[in-house]
Amino acid sequence: MALRLARTSAEAHLYMELHPCESCGESGFAPASSIVEAEGDLASRYTGSCPSCGTAREFTFRIPDEILLPGDEDPRFGDDRPSELLDAGEWLWLADALARDAPAHPSGVDAEDRQSARIDLLTAASALSEVLKFVPAGADAVPAEALWSGRGREVYAAGPGRFRRLRLEAVRDTYRDVAARFG
């Protein structure tokens, strides 16, 4: 199987976090990273042991030709292409997880928690932008083939209407607007 592209290190780390140890299910993993040549491409290799059971873990991802350096003000997981690592449902799951605990208004929230909520909401908006990359030009929703993981298919089954372009754009824009209140 060809190496899949990790468009940013943030995307690679998210993928590793969402794919826990196959032996014990631990999702924590503090790998060492290196740049290697694999299958004729430059690649990032992440290796280490599961902190719970000691099982050796390794992930290798192709590196993009152009390196993106996302920042806190503009968290990005990749370029304009859809992810090869995470499907549309996994990105929506991430957006939900990040936005779930964010307060709707900064009143009564201390400076540290305001900053944390702001970053979470901007990252949730970025995750929704990732879902939108799976909507083909001229289409109004994410197609079924953009959901290949168990988690992604579960998210879709729980709310297929959430994968419509207009709804995704509205929620993404709302997260950005709410994040601005915390700035």
Short mmCIF file of all heavy atoms in Angstrom, two decimals, residues 119-149:
data_model
loop_
_atom_site.label_atom_id
_atom_site.label_comp_id
_atom_site.label_asym_id
_atom_site.label_seq_id
_atom_site.Cartn_x
_atom_site.Cartn_y
_atom_site.Cartn_z
N ILE A 119 -9.05 29.10 20.79
CA ILE A 119 -8.27 28.18 19.97
C ILE A 119 -9.08 26.93 19.63
O ILE A 119 -9.07 26.45 18.50
CB ILE A 119 -6.94 27.82 20.67
CG1 ILE A 119 -6.03 29.06 20.68
CG2 ILE A 119 -6.25 26.65 19.99
CD1 ILE A 119 -4.81 28.92 21.56
N ASP A 120 -9.83 26.40 20.61
CA ASP A 120 -10.67 25.22 20.34
C ASP A 120 -11.70 25.51 19.26
O ASP A 120 -11.93 24.69 18.36
CB ASP A 120 -11.36 24.74 21.61
CG ASP A 120 -10.43 23.99 22.55
OD1 ASP A 120 -9.29 23.68 22.16
OD2 ASP A 120 -10.87 23.71 23.69
N LEU A 121 -12.34 26.68 19.33
CA LEU A 121 -13.36 27.02 18.35
C LEU A 121 -12.75 27.26 16.96
O LEU A 121 -13.33 26.85 15.94
CB LEU A 121 -14.16 28.24 18.81
CG LEU A 121 -15.11 27.95 19.97
CD1 LEU A 121 -15.56 29.25 20.63
CD2 LEU A 121 -16.30 27.14 19.49
N LEU A 122 -11.60 27.91 16.91
CA LEU A 122 -10.93 28.09 15.61
C LEU A 122 -10.50 26.75 15.02
O LEU A 122 -10.59 26.54 13.81
CB LEU A 122 -9.72 29.02 15.76
CG LEU A 122 -10.03 30.50 15.99
CD1 LEU A 122 -8.75 31.26 16.29
CD2 LEU A 122 -10.77 31.09 14.80
N THR A 123 -10.05 25.84 15.88
CA THR A 123 -9.64 24.53 15.41
C THR A 123 -10.86 23.71 14.96
O THR A 123 -10.80 23.00 13.96
CB THR A 123 -8.83 23.79 16.49
OG1 THR A 123 -7.73 24.61 16.89
CG2 THR A 123 -8.29 22.46 15.98
N ALA A 124 -11.97 23.86 15.67
CA ALA A 124 -13.22 23.20 15.26
C ALA A 124 -13.66 23.73 13.90
O ALA A 124 -14.08 22.95 13.02
CB ALA A 124 -14.31 23.41 16.29
N ALA A 125 -13.55 25.03 13.68
CA ALA A 125 -13.89 25.62 12.38
C ALA A 125 -12.97 25.07 11.29
O ALA A 125 -13.42 24.76 10.18
CB ALA A 125 -13.80 27.14 12.44
N SER A 126 -11.70 24.91 11.61
CA SER A 126 -10.75 24.34 10.65
C SER A 126 -11.11 22.89 10.33
O SER A 126 -11.02 22.47 9.17
CB SER A 126 -9.33 24.43 11.22
OG SER A 126 -8.40 23.91 10.31
N ALA A 127 -11.52 22.13 11.33
CA ALA A 127 -11.94 20.75 11.09
C ALA A 127 -13.16 20.71 10.16
O ALA A 127 -13.25 19.84 9.28
CB ALA A 127 -12.24 20.04 12.41
N LEU A 128 -14.08 21.66 10.32
CA LEU A 128 -15.23 21.71 9.41
C LEU A 128 -14.81 22.08 8.00
O LEU A 128 -15.37 21.58 7.02
CB LEU A 128 -16.29 22.68 9.94
CG LEU A 128 -17.01 22.18 11.19
CD1 LEU A 128 -17.91 23.27 11.76
CD2 LEU A 128 -17.80 20.92 10.90
N SER A 129 -13.79 22.94 7.88
CA SER A 129 -13.25 23.24 6.55
C SER A 129 -12.69 21.97 5.91
O SER A 129 -12.78 21.79 4.69
CB SER A 129 -12.16 24.31 6.64
OG SER A 129 -12.73 25.56 6.99
N GLU A 130 -12.12 21.09 6.73
CA GLU A 130 -11.61 19.81 6.22
C GLU A 130 -12.75 18.94 5.71
O GLU A 130 -12.63 18.28 4.69
CB GLU A 130 -10.81 19.07 7.29
CG GLU A 130 -9.50 19.73 7.64
CD GLU A 130 -8.53 19.81 6.46
OE1 GLU A 130 -8.53 18.90 5.60
OE2 GLU A 130 -7.78 20.79 6.41
N VAL A 131 -13.89 18.93 6.40
CA VAL A 131 -15.05 18.17 5.93
C VAL A 131 -15.49 18.71 4.57
O VAL A 131 -15.76 17.95 3.64
CB VAL A 131 -16.23 18.24 6.93
CG1 VAL A 131 -17.43 17.46 6.40
CG2 VAL A 131 -15.83 17.72 8.31
N LEU A 132 -15.53 20.04 4.46
CA LEU A 132 -15.98 20.67 3.21
C LEU A 132 -15.09 20.31 2.02
O LEU A 132 -15.56 20.32 0.88
CB LEU A 132 -16.05 22.18 3.39
CG LEU A 132 -17.27 22.65 4.20
CD1 LEU A 132 -17.04 24.04 4.75
CD2 LEU A 132 -18.51 22.59 3.32
N LYS A 133 -13.84 19.99 2.26
CA LYS A 133 -12.94 19.61 1.15
C LYS A 133 -13.37 18.30 0.49
O LYS A 133 -12.96 18.01 -0.63
CB LYS A 133 -11.50 19.50 1.65
CG LYS A 133 -10.92 20.85 2.06
CD LYS A 133 -9.55 20.70 2.67
CE LYS A 133 -9.07 22.04 3.21
NZ LYS A 133 -7.75 21.93 3.86
N PHE A 134 -14.20 17.53 1.17
CA PHE A 134 -14.69 16.27 0.61
C PHE A 134 -15.92 16.47 -0.28
O PHE A 134 -16.35 15.53 -0.95
CB PHE A 134 -15.01 15.27 1.72
CG PHE A 134 -13.79 14.67 2.38
CD1 PHE A 134 -13.30 15.21 3.55
CD2 PHE A 134 -13.14 13.58 1.82
CE1 PHE A 134 -12.18 14.67 4.16
CE2 PHE A 134 -12.03 13.03 2.42
CZ PHE A 134 -11.54 13.57 3.60
N VAL A 135 -16.53 17.65 -0.23
CA VAL A 135 -17.71 17.92 -1.07
C VAL A 135 -17.21 18.24 -2.48
O VAL A 135 -16.49 19.22 -2.67
CB VAL A 135 -18.54 19.10 -0.51
CG1 VAL A 135 -19.74 19.37 -1.41
CG2 VAL A 135 -18.99 18.83 0.92
N PRO A 136 -17.58 17.43 -3.46
CA PRO A 136 -17.12 17.68 -4.83
C PRO A 136 -17.67 19.01 -5.37
O PRO A 136 -18.74 19.47 -4.96
CB PRO A 136 -17.70 16.51 -5.63
CG PRO A 136 -18.02 15.46 -4.62
CD PRO A 136 -18.37 16.20 -3.36
N ALA A 137 -16.94 19.61 -6.29
CA ALA A 137 -17.39 20.84 -6.93
C ALA A 137 -18.78 20.60 -7.54
O ALA A 137 -19.02 19.57 -8.18
CB ALA A 137 -16.40 21.26 -8.01
N GLY A 138 -19.68 21.52 -7.29
CA GLY A 138 -21.03 21.42 -7.83
C GLY A 138 -21.97 20.54 -7.02
O GLY A 138 -23.16 20.48 -7.31
N ALA A 139 -21.45 19.84 -6.02
CA ALA A 139 -22.30 18.97 -5.19
C ALA A 139 -22.73 19.73 -3.94
O ALA A 139 -22.15 20.75 -3.58
CB ALA A 139 -21.54 17.70 -4.79
N ASP A 140 -23.77 19.22 -3.29
CA ASP A 140 -24.25 19.91 -2.09
C ASP A 140 -24.01 19.14 -0.81
O ASP A 140 -24.42 19.59 0.26
CB ASP A 140 -25.73 20.26 -2.23
CG ASP A 140 -26.64 19.04 -2.27
OD1 ASP A 140 -26.13 17.92 -2.41
OD2 ASP A 140 -27.87 19.23 -2.16
N ALA A 141 -23.31 18.00 -0.89
CA ALA A 141 -23.06 17.20 0.32
C ALA A 141 -21.84 16.31 0.14
O ALA A 141 -21.39 16.05 -0.98
CB ALA A 141 -24.29 16.35 0.64
N VAL A 142 -21.34 15.84 1.26
CA VAL A 142 -20.24 14.88 1.27
C VAL A 142 -20.75 13.56 0.71
O VAL A 142 -21.79 13.05 1.16
CB VAL A 142 -19.73 14.68 2.72
CG1 VAL A 142 -18.72 13.55 2.80
CG2 VAL A 142 -19.14 15.98 3.28
N PRO A 143 -20.05 12.97 -0.25
CA PRO A 143 -20.49 11.67 -0.80
C PRO A 143 -20.14 10.51 0.14
O PRO A 143 -19.23 10.62 0.96
CB PRO A 143 -19.71 11.56 -2.12
CG PRO A 143 -18.48 12.38 -1.89
CD PRO A 143 -18.88 13.49 -0.96
N ALA A 144 -20.83 9.42 -0.01
CA ALA A 144 -20.64 8.24 0.85
C ALA A 144 -19.20 7.73 0.82
O ALA A 144 -18.68 7.27 1.84
CB ALA A 144 -21.60 7.14 0.45
N GLU A 145 -18.52 7.83 -0.33
CA GLU A 145 -17.16 7.31 -0.42
C GLU A 145 -16.15 8.13 0.38
O GLU A 145 -15.01 7.71 0.55
CB GLU A 145 -16.71 7.15 -1.88
CG GLU A 145 -16.80 8.37 -2.72
CD GLU A 145 -18.15 8.55 -3.43
OE1 GLU A 145 -19.11 7.81 -3.15
OE2 GLU A 145 -18.22 9.45 -4.26
N ALA A 146 -16.56 9.27 0.90
CA ALA A 146 -15.68 10.09 1.73
C ALA A 146 -15.74 9.67 3.19
O ALA A 146 -15.18 10.33 4.06
CB ALA A 146 -16.03 11.57 1.58
N LEU A 147 -16.43 8.57 3.46
CA LEU A 147 -16.57 8.04 4.83
C LEU A 147 -16.08 6.60 4.82
O LEU A 147 -16.79 5.69 4.41
CB LEU A 147 -18.03 8.10 5.27
CG LEU A 147 -18.59 9.53 5.26
CD1 LEU A 147 -20.06 9.53 4.97
CD2 LEU A 147 -18.27 10.20 6.57
N TRP A 148 -14.83 6.38 5.23
CA TRP A 148 -14.26 5.04 5.16
C TRP A 148 -13.92 4.45 6.52
O TRP A 148 -13.63 3.27 6.62
CB TRP A 148 -13.05 5.01 4.23
CG TRP A 148 -11.92 5.91 4.65
CD1 TRP A 148 -10.99 5.65 5.62
CD2 TRP A 148 -11.59 7.19 4.12
NE1 TRP A 148 -10.11 6.70 5.74
CE2 TRP A 148 -10.46 7.66 4.82
CE3 TRP A 148 -12.14 7.99 3.13
CZ2 TRP A 148 -9.88 8.89 4.56
CZ3 TRP A 148 -11.55 9.20 2.87
CH2 TRP A 148 -10.43 9.64 3.57
N SER A 149 -13.95 5.25 7.57
CA SER A 149 -13.62 4.72 8.90
C SER A 149 -14.90 4.36 9.66
O SER A 149 -15.98 4.87 9.35
CB SER A 149 -12.85 5.78 9.71
OG SER A 149 -13.72 6.84 10.08
#
